[in-house]
Amino acid sequence: MNPSGSMGVLEQTEEERLSTPNLEPSVYSDNPQERIQARRLRIAARLEARRREALGEYIDGKKESEEDQSKSYKQKEESRLKLSKLLLCGTELVTNIQVAADIREIHRRVEEEEIKRQRIEKLENEVKNSQDKFDEITTKWEEGKQKHIPQDLWEILNTQQLHCAGLIEDKNKLINELQQELKVKDDQYVKDLKKQSDDICLLLERMEEQVKDIMKSFRQELSHIEKAFELERQELLTSNKKKWERALQNHNSKELEYLINRIKKVEDYEKQLNKQRIWDCEEYNMIKIKLEQDVQILEQQLQQMKATYQLNQEKLEYNFQVLKKRDEESTVIKSQQKRKINRLHDVLNNLRSKYAKQVKQFQEENHSLTSEYKRLVLQFKELQRAMRHFAIIDDEKFREIWLMNEEEAKGLIDRAFDVDRIIHIQHLGLPWTAPDFWFLKNVGPISQQQQKTATQIVEEVLKQADEEGLEEGASESSYLDLPKQISAKTTRKILMLLCDESGFLIESKLLSLLLPLEKNECYLLRLDAIFSALGIESEDDLYKLVKFFLEYRAHHLSASQISPWTQANLERSSLMEKSLMSEWDLEQEQEAESLLEGEEESSVGGEQEEEEAPPSPKLIHPNEVLKVLEAFVMGLRKPRNFRAPVRMTKSKRDNSKDSEYWKALATVIPSSTQNLWDALYTALEKYHLVLTQRAKLLTENNSLEQQNSELQLLLQQYLHSKINSELQIPPTHVFRVPTK
Amino acid sequence: MQGALTPPILSGPSQSAVSNQGLMPTASQASNIAPQPSKTFSSSGPLAAKTKPHVRRMRRIIAEDPEWSLAIVPLLTELCIQHIVKNFQKNPILKQLLPEHQKKVLSHLSPDLPLAVTANLIEDENYWRRCCTQRWPVCHVAKHGGSWKHMFFERHLENLLKHFIPGTTDPSVILDLLPLCANYVRRIRVDQFLPPVQLPASLQTRELSDSGSEVESEEPTMDHYQLGDLVAGLKHLEELDLVYGVKDCGMNFEWNLFLFTYRDCHSLAATIKACHTLKIFRLTRSKVDDEKARILIRSLLNHPGLEELDLSHNLIGDRGARAAAKLLSHSHLRVLNLANNQVRGPGAQSLAHALAHNTNLVSLNLRLNCLEDEGGQALAHALQTNKCLTTLNLGGNELSEPTATLLAQVLAINTTLTSLNLSCNHIGLDGGKQLLEGMSENKTLLEFDLRLSDISQESEYLIGQALHANREAARQRALNPGYLMSPIIANVPGNSVE
């Protein structure tokens, strides 16, 4: 391994590491740590580039320093490589002994194995041989036993002995061999031990040597590295010193230049100053002369002024005297005025206090009065409430009393009628008819009929219309409330029209609610809504409406004929008409259709129209309904205003008819009948008298009859008693005699 | 303080000495007091005797003595501390003192104090450091977790175990120590176990070995110390490093001395099975054969903490290796060392089978076995699927070219292996070239030992270059872990070709 080559390579890698540090961690890597690092590097590189651009000329110097740095780095790397190599070699050197021992051991084992195998083979051979020999000997023994001749036996024995000896010898030889081997092995063991101890010694030696070497080399390398650093430092120092000196020289030369410049400038300034001084002197002198002249002129003026001053002083003194006098006068006046002011102030204060007092008083009064007023109002309200309450109660009471009286009167009348009837039927034998008076049917206090509300009317109208289908003609009799000229039918039609045309007055919610209802009910509710919107409340209003419609129609037919009461409305509606003129054309087209409708309806209602007083008109065109309505509403508004107080008075009931009523009640029996009754009375009294006399006589008669019977009884008793028999002469005899 | 000053066992003379010192401190006396503490530790009796005449002589105040000054008067606290130190063995007072006083007391305590007093009372490292340096000239505190106290107790216990003679030594010697050292012993490393003494006449083990040869037949009595009780008492035991053998036997050598009996084996197996805190278990140079290895490994199956198993320099064959393979798949073993055993092809195959899907084992050492190509190829196949193993030692295994071919393929694929040792094999020239080819595609291997393996110088050099490049890349990775090293790695092959 040549160190220079490896170093070169290392340098190369080092350079590569330095030159391409930002390429290695990729921004697109999967490892987040790496990505972060990559970004950091990128940012650092950008900053570096910017800095370099800014510094520009320093790049060269920097490169130099980098080279310097790499010098020490080179030294470090070199040392490190050298040392690691040294370490590796050292350990190899040391472990070489172990490896050598290992391989020796392996060789020994192999050899041992071989020898062992040979030995075993040999032993086996030996065993076989000896076994053969032994067998031979044993067979010979058998042979020997068969021998009987001693010589033979001896011979055999000898041979046997020989054989045995041979066998033993063989064995001994083997044993010797083995022992020899053992000895050799022992020797070898000792040798091995020695060798091993030598090895260990060598190992120790090498280790020590290695330690020493490494220590030495480490120290060397350390000193090398230190030297390299020292060198680098010194180089750096010298270069810096040079730079410093250069800078110092530069500085000095610049200082000198500045000094020279400064001296030159000082001289210049001195010259300028001198020039300035001379010029100033001249100017000063000129100004001085001029000013002296000025002073003289001014002194002259001063003299003049002094003269005028004295003159003025005298004048002023005189003026002063005059003014003093005036001042005195004015002080006197002032004091007078002051006194007056004081007086007036006092008055003012007095007045003020009075005013305040009065204000207070009035406020209090006001307060008290307002409270009084409030109280009174309250009282009044309470009174009103009480009055209302009492009115109600009175009404009730009145009604009750009325009812009671009426009942009483009616009872009396009934009795009278009964009596009259009895008199007529029983006593006079005349047929009796009950008199028929309106007030008899009346119950409760007489009052004006309640006005029906518009909706009730409408309901009635509608109901009427329904019923009309069943029974014709009945309408006239039941519909007495309607004005004569208006039939129920027309009213209904008008209302229907109104209902159809002025649907906009109804709330949409209501419409949706109305859908499922019957036709009539639906109309009713819709009309109700419309009326409430138009402000039609009472029956009268409704009739007015109907009337209005009819008249409008009439007016429409004959435009020239304008009734005075619609004139004002029409004037207003004409304005509307103008705005509606554009629509007029369209409406005319529709008119044709509506006319058809109108004809149809008129044909339906033809039967009724004959009876109606106004000439049967064409029905109002639906488009005009709105106009009519507007006119009506305008018209209605006025009367509505003064209706409220009228209402109030209406609540008072008129008792004008009451006396009439009561009188009528009282005179339910006419005077002719009374006369009749008087006559009858006297006659009956007479009759009564007769009857009573007769009754008296009857009772008398009765009593006499009774007395008679009693007496008869007594007599009988006496006659039949025992005493009679005892007596000389019985009474019966006495009686008998007379009786006989 | 008062109690500490006047304990009932205080001897008369020393008391008077103290009081006299307190009452009249003279210059000469002060010079006496200064060395006093060092003397106090050893014995108080002679000191008292020694100081007494001095005090008698110095009773009077010598006014004109220019050296006399009040500053020499020792503080009362100083005196109390001295007293505490002197009587520490009988009345240990430490926890009640202020921290600075504690420090002073500890710095003056003698390292010879009985362990029963100091073991659970003193935590101060400096005291135990003094104890250690006094007893042993060489102390590697780093090997004992950096704690001098741990070191003291571990070495003390090891010493006791080393010189324990079964049947002669009282077992309570060790068991008495147990409550004292239970909290501090993390590791037991014993490199000799003495066999029981056969002849009552010879008390020394070395003498015993002579007679041992005569009574060779009494083998069952050769059992060693049973660790069961001791290990059960050690709550924090993590490492157990045992050698059943005798050191320094010299010419008294006897095979008997190095006998790991079946009873030993069974008791040891039960012991390590019961010890759940155990992490490292080493049993080396103890003639462990297949049967014993199987007994031991069976007890280690599903052990909760075991991380390292070292059975190097034993007599384990294929069956033992098979048992070890089973252990691999039934434990969290990270390091397995079977160096210098008698594992052959079949054993290696079973190990390879277990290795193929193992995810715990980091280091496997099969140095100096007889795997041959059969086993080597099996292991190479296993490495193709294994993603965990970083260190593999196959030195001295009679491997040759076929294994090298397969390993070259593995090198191209594997990205976890960092260290591979194929030294002392017969790989040959072609095998070397193939390994070089495989190496050229590998970027992770940092160490590759091919010494004495019959490969050409050229390929060895080129492999060395490739390793160097890998090491550089690994260094760069370690220096700036966030950095993507692709350009430099790409640069490396060119470098190695050069």
Side-chain angles (χ1 to χ4, degrees):
Chain A
M1 198 211 271
N2 48 345
S4 63
S6 72
M7 221 170 72
V9 167
L10 198 98
E11 222 173 341
Q12 192 186 334
T13 61
E14 188 58 36
E15 269 170 19
E16 205 160 89
R17 203 173 66 79
L18 281 171
S19 61
T20 60
N22 48 352
L23 292 179
E24 283 148 18
S26 164
V27 188
Y28 309 104
S29 163
D30 296 328
N31 185 9
Q33 291 282 338
E34 200 183 314
R35 277 197 305 254
I36 289 162
Q37 201 169 359
R39 279 188 216 114
R40 269 186 202 150
L41 281 169
R42 205 168 54 188
I43 290 160
R46 272 185 207 151
L47 284 175
E48 181 70 13
R50 217 172 288 161
R51 209 156 53 98
R52 270 186 197 169
E53 267 177 20
L55 293 172
E57 67 263 30
Y58 287 109
I59 289 171
D60 294 354
K62 213 171 203 180
K63 265 182 190 166
E64 267 175 40
S65 70
E66 263 174 25
E67 271 170 25
D68 283 349
Q69 208 173 8
S70 70
K71 217 186 269 171
S72 61
Y73 192 83
K74 238 186 272 173
Q75 178 62 45
K76 263 198 302 186
E77 279 299 308
E78 202 181 314
S79 309
R80 187 178 64 75
L81 284 176
K82 218 188 260 177
L83 288 175
S84 65
K85 203 174 131 197
L86 204 68
L87 270 175
L88 207 69
C89 288
T91 40
E92 214 172 283
L93 201 70
V94 173
T95 48
N96 267 343
I97 295 167
Q98 190 213 340
V99 171
D102 277 1
I103 198 128
R104 265 206 306 280
E105 168 70 13
I106 286 163
H107 285 151
R108 189 191 64 77
R109 276 188 193 176
V110 171
E111 275 168 29
E112 195 91 333
E113 220 157 282
E114 185 62 34
I115 290 167
K116 208 175 178 180
R117 199 175 50 76
Q118 280 175 3
R119 197 185 299 139
I120 286 164
E121 231 169 69
K122 211 161 128 193
L123 280 175
E124 273 172 3
N125 282 341
E126 180 61 38
V127 166
K128 240 182 226 169
N129 284 343
S130 55
Q131 191 69 38
D132 286 350
K133 274 180 191 165
F134 184 68
D135 285 346
E136 211 177 303
I137 290 164
T138 42
T139 47
K140 285 245 175 95
W141 283 120
E142 289 297 315
E143 274 177 35
K145 272 185 187 169
Q146 286 163 3
K147 296 274 174 142
H148 299 291
I149 302 155
Q151 282 87 359
D152 284 355
L153 199 65
W154 186 76
E155 214 168 286
I156 283 167
L157 276 174
N158 269 349
T159 51
Q160 281 294 70
Q161 208 168 359
L162 268 175
H163 279 299
C164 281
L167 193 68
I168 287 164
E169 207 172 318
D170 277 358
K171 290 278 177 195
N172 276 338
K173 214 192 269 172
L174 194 68
I175 286 165
N176 274 338
E177 262 175 41
L178 285 176
Q179 270 175 348
Q180 204 71 34
E181 242 174 79
L182 194 66
K183 241 176 212 170
V184 171
K185 278 277 157 194
D186 270 347
D187 285 353
Q188 204 179 344
Y189 173 70
V190 173
K191 264 187 212 159
D192 276 356
L193 268 181
K194 241 179 217 166
K195 171 84 185 146
Q196 275 178 4
S197 65
D198 283 354
D199 272 354
I200 285 168
C201 282
L202 190 65
L203 194 70
L204 283 173
E205 232 169 72
R206 277 188 186 179
M207 274 161 84
E208 266 168 32
E209 212 172 295
Q210 173 77 2
V211 166
K212 265 182 212 160
D213 275 2
I214 284 173
M215 288 267 270
K216 211 162 79 185
S217 51
F218 263 91
R219 278 208 187 105
Q220 234 168 24
E221 293 305 323
L222 185 70
S223 65
H224 278 316
I225 290 168
E226 265 176 6
K227 260 181 207 162
F229 271 108
E230 193 75 23
L231 209 71
E232 211 178 290
R233 188 166 145 265
Q234 243 149 29
E235 270 173 28
L236 207 69
L237 269 174
T238 47
S239 69
N240 282 352
K241 210 177 246 176
K242 265 182 205 163
K243 232 190 260 174
W244 174 248
E245 273 168 9
R246 220 180 298 144
L248 211 67
Q249 250 173 11
N250 259 354
H251 181 77
N252 279 343
S253 61
K254 267 183 190 169
E255 280 283 306
L256 210 70
E257 247 172 64
Y258 285 141
L259 204 69
I260 290 161
N261 278 346
R262 201 182 137 81
I263 289 165
K264 266 183 201 164
K265 264 182 195 170
V266 165
E267 279 170 5
D268 274 0
Y269 287 143
E270 231 163 75
K271 268 181 205 166
Q272 276 180 12
L273 271 175
N274 278 337
K275 231 186 257 170
Q276 190 78 26
R277 228 174 259 158
I278 291 161
W279 191 70
D280 278 354
C281 260
E282 279 168 11
E283 211 181 39
Y284 170 73
N285 284 337
M286 256 157 65
I287 289 168
K288 204 179 173 187
I289 292 161
K290 205 177 160 190
L291 286 174
E292 272 170 0
Q293 278 174 356
D294 282 356
V295 165
Q296 280 175 0
I297 292 162
L298 286 172
E299 265 176 9
Q300 277 177 3
Q301 278 179 354
L302 189 71
Q303 291 298 328
Q304 281 175 0
M305 288 304 278
K306 266 183 185 169
T308 49
Y309 166 71
Q310 271 181 346
L311 205 76
N312 280 340
Q313 209 176 14
E314 277 169 21
K315 261 185 207 171
L316 284 171
E317 260 172 24
Y318 173 71
N319 278 350
F320 180 67
Q321 293 296 333
V322 171
L323 284 172
K324 247 185 186 170
K325 259 178 199 168
R326 272 189 196 170
D327 191 43
E328 276 167 19
E329 278 168 27
S330 68
T331 46
V332 171
I333 292 164
K334 220 192 243 170
S335 60
Q336 279 176 353
Q337 291 289 353
K338 263 183 189 167
R339 249 172 275 144
K340 213 179 197 175
I341 283 168
N342 280 340
R343 232 182 7 250
L344 286 172
H345 261 297
D346 287 350
V347 172
L348 183 69
N349 282 340
N350 279 344
L351 286 173
R352 245 179 213 159
S353 62
K354 254 182 211 168
Y355 170 72
K357 244 182 238 168
Q358 254 173 357
V359 162
K360 217 181 262 174
Q361 207 179 326
F362 283 126
Q363 263 175 352
E364 272 167 24
E365 218 168 309
N366 195 13
H367 271 298
S368 61
L369 286 174
T370 43
S371 58
E372 186 101 339
Y373 169 71
K374 273 173 193 167
R375 200 170 48 80
L376 283 174
V377 165
L378 274 176
Q379 273 180 350
F380 174 67
K381 270 180 190 164
E382 221 146 279
L383 207 65
Q384 264 186 334
R385 210 183 306 140
M387 205 180 75
R388 237 174 279 138
H389 175 69
F390 283 128
I392 292 162
I393 288 171
D394 281 351
D395 271 354
E396 235 162 77
K397 229 175 233 174
F398 170 74
R399 200 178 146 76
E400 272 167 23
I401 290 166
W402 182 288
L403 282 173
M404 191 185 74
N405 285 335
E406 201 177 49
E407 207 176 321
E408 206 176 348
K410 278 195 182 148
L412 287 171
I413 288 163
D414 278 349
R415 260 179 73 191
F417 281 154
D418 274 352
V419 168
D420 194 26
R421 189 169 49 92
I422 291 164
I423 289 167
H424 272 80
I425 293 167
Q426 291 183 356
H427 293 270
L428 302 174
L430 295 168
W432 186 83
T433 49
D436 190 20
F437 299 111
W438 61 271
F439 49 80
L440 288 180
K441 276 160 204 157
N442 185 36
V443 177
I446 293 167
S447 59
Q448 259 145 341
Q449 204 128 29
Q450 285 296 101
Q451 278 206 323
K452 289 179 191 171
T453 57
T455 40
Q456 281 171 325
I457 297 292
V458 169
E459 203 177 340
E460 272 172 38
V461 168
L462 288 170
K463 229 178 252 172
Q464 194 69 38
D466 279 351
E467 282 164 11
E468 266 170 28
L470 301 171
E471 35 180 324
E472 294 172 29
S475 65
E476 206 65 33
S477 63
S478 72
Y479 233 75
L480 45 112
D481 294 336
L482 275 174
K484 277 159 198 157
Q485 69 266 43
I486 306 160
S487 74
K489 193 87 181 180
T490 29
T491 317
R492 189 170 157 253
K493 267 181 202 159
I494 286 163
L495 289 177
M496 295 285 229
L497 201 64
L498 193 65
C499 185
D500 287 337
E501 282 307 308
S502 51
F504 60 89
L505 291 170
I506 306 164
E507 281 177 51
S508 57
K509 237 186 229 176
L510 189 63
L511 278 174
S512 65
L513 284 171
L514 288 174
L515 277 175
L517 289 173
E518 253 180 274
K519 190 186 158 199
N520 264 342
E521 262 179 84
C522 173
Y523 272 123
L524 181 63
L525 287 171
R526 283 170 83 169
L527 278 173
D528 192 16
I530 290 163
F531 287 163
S532 66
L534 287 175
I536 296 169
E537 285 161 2
S538 66
E539 202 180 350
D540 289 349
D541 291 338
L542 182 64
Y543 294 143
K544 261 186 205 159
L545 178 70
V546 173
K547 222 185 264 174
F548 194 85
F549 265 85
L550 291 174
E551 278 179 36
Y552 185 85
R553 185 175 52 186
H555 154 79
H556 189 70
L557 287 171
S558 54
S560 59
Q561 188 190 337
I562 299 166
S563 56
W565 57 273
T566 48
Q567 200 160 12
N569 293 342
L570 273 173
E571 270 169 12
R572 278 194 209 102
S573 60
S574 65
L575 288 171
M576 299 292 286
E577 268 178 308
K578 271 175 200 166
S579 65
L580 290 167
M581 277 303 270
S582 55
E583 293 173 28
W584 191 249
D585 297 334
L586 288 171
E587 284 167 6
Q588 271 183 332
E589 286 171 27
Q590 287 170 345
E591 210 168 3
E593 292 168 31
S594 62
L595 275 170
L596 285 170
E597 276 175 30
E599 277 165 10
E600 274 173 22
E601 281 186 64
S602 63
S603 67
V604 170
E607 299 156 22
Q608 294 289 319
E609 275 166 24
E610 292 165 7
E611 296 171 16
E612 283 168 10
S616 84
K618 280 179 201 168
L619 270 167
I620 295 164
H621 189 265
N623 291 331
E624 282 173 36
V625 168
L626 284 177
K627 280 182 237 164
V628 178
L629 268 180
E630 198 192 352
F632 172 75
V633 172
M634 291 296 192
L636 192 66
R637 202 172 286 163
K638 280 176 200 163
R640 182 59 51 86
N641 291 338
F642 55 80
R643 175 160 291 194
V646 173
R647 273 270 169 89
M648 288 297 286
T649 54
K650 251 183 198 171
S651 66
K652 280 185 183 172
R653 64 178 304 280
D654 58 336
N655 44 9
S656 56
K657 278 186 180 173
D658 287 1
S659 55
E660 201 181 309
Y661 173 68
W662 288 115
K663 232 173 250 175
L665 276 184
T667 57
V668 72
I669 307 288
S671 52
S672 59
T673 340
Q674 277 179 1
N675 289 341
L676 179 72
W677 282 6
D678 285 341
L680 195 63
Y681 180 70
T682 46
L684 282 176
E685 256 181 3
K686 277 175 193 168
Y687 181 58
H688 184 246
L689 209 65
V690 173
L691 283 176
T692 45
Q693 277 175 347
R694 214 182 137 182
K696 250 183 225 168
L697 290 173
L698 277 171
T699 49
E700 230 170 291
N701 192 23
N702 281 346
S703 61
L704 286 175
E705 267 178 20
Q706 209 175 340
Q707 274 177 349
N708 193 21
S709 59
E710 275 172 9
L711 287 172
Q712 272 179 348
L713 270 172
L714 281 171
L715 194 64
Q716 286 281 330
Q717 235 175 326
Y718 286 133
L719 286 174
H720 292 287
S721 61
K722 271 175 186 177
I723 304 164
N724 289 346
S725 52
E726 291 167 3
L727 289 172
Q728 290 294 322
I729 320 154
T732 40
H733 285 288
V734 174
F735 284 118
R736 220 168 272 162
V737 169
T739 45
K740 273 176 184 179
Chain B
M1 270 311 198
Q2 197 67 22
L5 249 178
T6 55
I9 35 100
L10 212 62
S11 59
S14 75
Q15 199 173 11
S16 69
V18 169
S19 58
N20 285 336
Q21 279 165 9
L23 280 171
M24 30 191 74
T26 57
S28 51
Q29 197 186 351
S31 63
N32 259 345
I33 291 159
Q36 197 173 2
S38 57
K39 285 176 193 168
T40 317
F41 301 133
S42 48
S43 59
S44 58
L47 178 87
K50 235 165 119 187
T51 48
K52 203 176 171 184
H54 274 270
V55 170
R56 281 280 146 80
R57 198 157 49 81
M58 293 297 169
R59 214 143 205 197
R60 284 162 302 155
I61 297 171
I62 305 162
E64 51 269 21
D65 188 351
E67 289 172 8
W68 185 84
S69 91
L70 262 175
I72 295 160
V73 178
L75 296 170
L76 184 58
T77 52
E78 201 70 29
L79 296 174
C80 293
I81 286 166
Q82 280 171 21
H83 196 81
I84 289 168
V85 167
K86 212 187 290 168
N87 296 293
F88 199 82
Q89 189 175 345
K90 287 162 192 162
N91 188 13
I93 299 164
L94 184 67
K95 300 281 176 194
Q96 297 94 317
L97 300 179
L98 293 172
E100 63 259 34
H101 298 155
Q102 276 189 23
K103 219 177 270 173
K104 236 175 237 174
V105 169
L106 285 170
S107 65
H108 291 152
L109 278 181
S110 151
D112 295 325
L113 285 171
L115 284 176
V117 177
T118 56
N120 288 317
L121 185 67
I122 298 175
E123 297 290 337
D124 187 51
E125 283 293 293
N126 279 328
Y127 172 76
W128 293 110
R129 182 182 187 159
R130 278 192 289 125
C131 291
C132 287
T133 45
Q134 194 206 23
R135 268 185 80 168
W136 302 290
V138 182
C139 299
H140 287 292
V141 75
K143 284 185 180 175
H144 299 268
S147 165
W148 289 96
K149 192 174 186 182
H150 290 184
M151 177 177 171
F152 181 83
F153 279 104
E154 279 164 13
R155 289 189 72 168
H156 184 62
L157 187 66
E158 281 160 17
N159 238 12
L160 285 180
L161 284 172
K162 258 187 217 174
H163 297 110
F164 186 89
I165 305 166
T168 325
T169 319
D170 186 11
S172 64
V173 169
I174 288 171
L175 293 179
D176 283 349
L177 188 65
L178 192 57
L180 305 179
C181 68
N183 287 324
Y184 314 109
V185 175
R186 300 259 187 292
R187 195 183 77 144
I188 298 177
R189 175 174 282 176
V190 186
D191 51 5
Q192 93 168 349
F193 275 98
L194 297 180
V197 182
Q198 309 276 289
L199 280 182
S202 60
L203 287 167
Q204 285 293 317
T205 350
R206 286 161 206 180
E207 290 164 32
L208 152 99
S209 56
D210 280 332
S211 53
S213 60
E214 292 162 24
V215 208
E216 218 165 21
S217 56
E218 296 177 28
E219 205 177 281
T221 56
M222 294 300 289
D223 296 330
H224 299 87
Y225 176 68
Q226 311 289 315
L227 282 169
D229 293 336
L230 176 65
V231 171
L234 297 173
K235 289 176 276 181
H236 302 295
L237 190 70
E238 285 174 2
E239 190 178 339
L240 203 54
D241 190 347
L242 309 173
V243 178
Y244 280 81
V246 179
K247 272 176 121 184
D248 300 329
C249 56
M251 291 310 286
N252 296 326
F253 173 80
E254 211 34 75
W255 283 112
N256 247 349
L257 295 179
F258 298 88
L259 201 66
F260 180 47
T261 63
Y262 274 100
R263 231 183 117 206
D264 283 338
C265 181
H266 279 294
S267 78
L268 185 62
T271 305
I272 55 178
K273 191 171 188 177
C275 182
H276 292 298
T277 50
L278 196 68
K279 281 185 182 163
I280 301 170
F281 178 60
R282 293 202 183 93
L283 181 62
T284 55
R285 292 171 277 159
S286 303
K287 288 189 181 179
V288 178
D289 57 14
D290 274 344
E291 279 307 312
K292 286 169 187 162
R294 278 158 68 86
I295 290 165
L296 285 171
I297 286 173
R298 205 184 302 140
S299 70
L300 283 173
L301 285 179
N302 293 320
H303 193 279
L306 195 71
E307 286 182 358
E308 187 177 339
L309 178 64
D310 188 349
L311 292 173
S312 55
H313 309 292
N314 280 312
L315 302 172
I316 297 167
D318 287 335
R319 290 174 64 216
R322 210 174 297 141
K326 195 181 173 192
L327 180 66
L328 279 188
S329 49
H330 284 93
S331 70
H332 310 297
L333 212 60
R334 292 168 61 77
V335 179
L336 179 61
N337 192 346
L338 290 175
N340 196 11
N341 277 300
Q342 293 167 0
V343 181
R344 287 169 188 279
Q349 277 172 340
S350 55
L351 275 173
H353 184 73
L355 194 62
H357 301 291
N358 187 289
T359 53
N360 293 316
L361 199 68
V362 173
S363 168
L364 178 62
N365 192 344
L366 290 171
R367 194 168 67 90
L368 282 176
N369 279 299
C370 259
L371 302 188
E372 294 180 329
D373 279 332
E374 194 189 345
Q377 279 170 326
L379 280 170
H381 276 300
L383 280 180
Q384 282 179 335
T385 54
N386 184 287
K387 297 278 176 234
C388 191
L389 200 69
T390 58
T391 310
L392 179 61
N393 194 338
L394 293 175
N397 270 309
E398 316 225 0
L399 307 174
S400 57
E401 202 184 320
T403 313
T405 324
L406 272 175
L407 275 175
Q409 291 172 11
V410 168
L411 284 181
I413 300 166
N414 195 301
T415 55
T416 51
L417 211 59
T418 56
S419 169
L420 184 59
N421 191 338
L422 289 179
S423 60
C424 309
N425 285 306
H426 316 293
I427 288 169
L429 295 177
D430 292 339
K433 274 176 194 159
Q434 275 164 339
L435 280 176
L436 177 60
E437 275 172 34
M439 198 53 220
S440 66
E441 291 181 36
N442 189 293
K443 307 280 174 254
T444 51
L445 204 64
L446 303 180
E447 287 172 33
F448 194 6
D449 199 342
L450 283 171
R451 281 173 289 180
L452 297 178
S453 52
D454 302 341
I455 67 167
S456 65
Q457 288 269 316
E458 191 195 353
S459 34
E460 196 173 349
Y461 173 71
L462 290 178
I463 286 172
Q465 293 279 320
L467 287 175
H468 180 72
N470 281 356
R471 270 197 289 273
E472 282 297 314
R475 200 180 79 88
Q476 291 289 346
R477 264 196 301 263
L479 279 179
N480 30 2
Y483 231 62
L484 201 68
M485 295 309 297
S486 52
I488 285 169
I489 289 167
N491 228 15
V492 167
N495 189 7
S496 64
V497 168
E498 190 190 326

